[in-house]
Amino acid sequence: TAVVGRFRGGLAYVNVADSMVFGGISGSAVADVAALGTFLIPQMERKGYDRDFATALTVATAVVAPIIPPSIIAVIYAWMSDQSVAAMFAAGVIPGLLVGLGMAVPVFVISRKRNYPREEPPTLRQFLRVLWAATPALMIPIIIMGGILFGIFTPTEAAAVAAVYALVVPPIFYRQPSWRELPSLFADSARLSGVIGLIIGFVGAFGWVLT
């Protein structure tokens, strides 16, 4: 919000930007919608956005998650076609950014047409405070992509490092989640992993048929 909220339809631009950042963590459109939709759609409604627009935008922007690295689909494709995962990730950066910019165009048109609100621009001090508070969370995609592209660890190891980081760092810096919430978080992760596992299974079978 501090970066793009000042424009007409600010929260809609936030939705686009959030999907690009979260896509750089999860690599899954399903995870993107599940994580961002639960708080962005109600927030947009409270600010005066139409529910259909907020919902459609959240679903549409999630498409960038499988494109912008690290992408689960890119990993599956690299594995099946014997390609470099790092090269596949690098190839998704510019298309991912272009998709994000493409999403911003209809947001610009619809926001002006429906006169959606804009957020108050922060002062420099407020912006720096927000940036400092967000830095520990924003380190996750940097750790994942930097570690893979510089050969520090494999995509699988990057996922493990990111998972441990996401478990340890938020309670220290943000005082959440509490330890009581961990079982439900693990259960949600297991369900999401099950969906992705089914996709991988069917893709493997389909690839065998094509071969």
Side-chain angles (χ1 to χ4, degrees), residues 31-191:
D32 204 322
V33 173
L36 299 179
T38 51
F39 74 90
L40 266 177
I41 294 174
Q43 179 82 349
M44 291 179 72
E45 274 194 287
R46 282 196 295 271
K47 292 282 187 175
Y49 294 79
D50 298 311
R51 184 175 180 83
D52 59 349
F53 172 73
T55 304
L57 181 65
T58 304
V59 173
T61 55
V63 173
V64 78
I67 301 172
I68 209 158
S71 164
I72 294 172
I73 292 176
V75 173
I76 297 171
Y77 178 84
W79 165 61
M80 294 189 65
S81 59
D82 197 26
Q83 299 294 320
S84 165
V85 174
M88 289 296 302
F89 282 178
V93 174
I94 293 176
L97 292 174
L98 290 176
V99 169
L101 290 173
M103 297 284 185
V105 174
V107 166
F108 175 82
V109 174
I110 295 171
S111 296
R112 288 188 171 275
K113 185 177 179 181
R114 299 187 184 181
N115 198 31
Y116 285 142
R118 66 180 80 199
E119 305 299 312
E120 284 294 323
T123 64
L124 179 60
R125 179 176 292 182
Q126 289 172 330
F127 178 79
L128 292 176
R129 188 167 65 244
V130 168
L131 179 63
W132 176 256
T135 297
L138 292 176
M139 286 300 296
I140 294 181
I142 295 173
I143 290 171
I144 293 172
M145 286 308 304
I148 293 172
L149 293 178
F150 286 105
I152 299 172
F153 35 64
T154 66
T156 305
E157 291 166 348
V161 170
V164 173
Y165 183 93
L167 276 175
V168 173
V169 171
I172 296 172
F173 286 93
Y174 305 115
R175 302 291 186 266
Q176 59 179 351
S178 67
W179 296 112
R180 295 177 184 176
E181 296 178 83
L182 288 183
S184 63
L185 291 176
F186 287 144
D188 289 341
S189 299
R191 280 193 291 270

